[in-house]
Amino acid sequence: MTVATMTNTTWTYTCKICKVINKALAIMFVGIIAFGESAGRARAAAELHRQGYHAEDKALMLSDN
């Protein structure tokens, strides 16, 4: 096995590993953002409920956005 072949083979495996790690990190980042948004909505809805705005509370929790 020549050095060029070994380097090419090593580079191919490294690129595959990097792509897998990159995809996993991207999925984790999107999950963290979604969790933060969900927690923020829950806090806002709880505060609206506490202040007596029950219709707005319900609308916030049932909206798709």
Side-chain angles (χ1 to χ4, degrees):
M1 181 178 275
T2 64
V3 174
T5 305
M6 190 168 54
T7 304
N8 188 23
T9 304
T10 305
W11 182 257
T12 302
Y13 288 130
T14 305
C15 285
K16 288 179 183 177
I17 292 170
C18 289
K19 286 180 183 178
V20 169
I21 291 172
N22 186 16
K23 188 171 183 176
L25 289 175
I27 290 170
M28 284 175 37
F29 180 70
V30 169
I32 290 170
I33 295 296
F35 177 76
E37 183 178 344
S38 176
R41 283 177 179 261
R43 285 188 69 185
E47 188 63 24
L48 286 170
H49 183 77
R50 188 187 67 78
Q51 293 178 3
Y53 296 104
H54 302 293
E56 290 82 358
D57 164 33
K58 184 175 181 178
L60 177 63
M61 290 308 292
L62 295 178
S63 68
D64 287 335
N65 295 340

